[in-house]
Amino acid sequence: NAGVTQTPKFQVLKTGQSMTLQCAQDMNHEYMSWYRQDPGMGLRLIHYSVGAGITDQGEVPNGYNVSRSTTEDFPLRLLSAAPSQTSVYFCASSYSPVLSSYEQYFGPGTRLTVT
Amino acid sequence: DQQVKQNSPSLSVQEGRISILNCDYTNSMFDYFLWYKKYPAEGPTFLISISSIKDKNEDGRFTVFLNKSAKHLSLHIVPSQPGDSAVYFCAASARSGGGADGLTFGKGTHLIIQP
């Protein structure tokens, strides 16, 4: 199993550009989520999905869109990048937030810089 | 308002001694707590968890203690090893409420194990 994979690892964008951060998992997990980590901060939840076709907002959703057309993939879209979105982005998955121990598996992260 | 607090940004411990990392929370709805370990340029990895119905959970060198009345938990690592040097995040979830709204993380404690 590859676990949770994220692409790209690094990305530089100019203000106003759009892009999609990719996330995939091969563990057949129902639950997937996106977090961002800023210097001196913990991870903050952006969006999450409890299954294909179902998404919801987390703590800091503004400026981001998500979709979940398959169990495996959960892309994060930046609609119009802003310098405040400079951060490290982590995708995570788990079997089920209700049934499991709630252990989430994290990808290696995407480091995004917006100039 | 930070719901999960790790008040020590860093902690230095001698190899072979006990490392104690602390975490406080304010949300009384939290009923499941986790510790994650993070190395630079990698995603967080799950270390150990505890449900609010327990006050202690042990896994090898790692033990987590939960004091619900004080809204405090701690992670004990004994004996500490050089490979334990990493950032440790405390995280919490309100699983009984469905738990789908992700984990709330503290800011992390950088543990440094000195030879």
Side-chain angles (χ1 to χ4, degrees), chain A residues 29-52:
Chain A
H29 284 170
E30 291 293 326
Y31 183 87
M32 295 185 74
S33 55
W34 277 100
Y35 292 85
R36 61 178 286 175
Q37 185 191 13
D38 301 302
M41 302 284 288
L43 284 75
R44 292 182 293 169
L45 183 67
I46 305 171
H47 284 284
Y48 65 92
S49 168
V50 297

Side-chain angles (χ1 to χ4, degrees), chain A residues 11-80:
Chain A
Q11 183 70 49
V12 179
L13 288 179
K14 293 187 176 176
T15 297
Q17 287 184 317
S18 62
M19 79 158 294
T20 299
L21 308 186
Q22 301 290 345
C23 174
Q25 52 90 11
D26 60 359
M27 297 174 283
N28 203 31
H29 284 170
E30 291 293 326
Y31 183 87
M32 295 185 74
S33 55
W34 277 100
Y35 292 85
R36 61 178 286 175
Q37 185 191 13
D38 301 302
M41 302 284 288
L43 284 75
R44 292 182 293 169
L45 183 67
I46 305 171
H47 284 284
Y48 65 92
S49 168
V50 297
I54 307 169
T55 64
D56 209 341
Q57 296 181 349
E59 180 186 355
V60 288
N62 292 342
Y64 307 95
N65 270 359
V66 291
S67 59
R68 185 94 180 271
S69 55
T70 66
T71 300
E72 294 78 20
D73 301 296
F74 190 44
L76 177 74
R77 295 183 188 85
L78 280 71
L79 307 172
S80 177

Side-chain angles (χ1 to χ4, degrees), chain B residues 24-107:
Chain B
D24 297 292
Y25 63 96
T26 58
N27 187 342
S28 56
M29 298 299 292
F30 287 147
D31 57 3
Y32 201 81
F33 304 90
L34 307 90
W35 285 93
Y36 280 84
K37 176 179 178 179
K38 185 182 181 302
Y39 292 119
E42 294 184 10
T45 54
F46 171 75
L47 198 55
I48 192 168
S49 62
I50 188 166
S51 165
S52 59
I53 62 173
K54 295 185 176 181
D55 55 18
K56 177 183 172 181
N57 188 26
E58 213 169 334
D59 183 2
R61 295 186 299 115
F62 303 93
T63 303
V64 56
F65 295 92
L66 175 63
N67 182 334
K68 280 179 60 180
S69 60
K71 293 191 175 71
H72 176 84
L73 59 154
S74 61
L75 173 68
H76 292 213
I77 306 172
V78 55
S80 300
Q81 299 175 354
D84 297 329
S85 293
V87 176
Y88 289 78
F89 289 101
C90 173
S93 165
R95 193 168 59 156
S96 59
D101 52 350
L103 297 171
T104 301
F105 283 83
K107 292 185 178 182

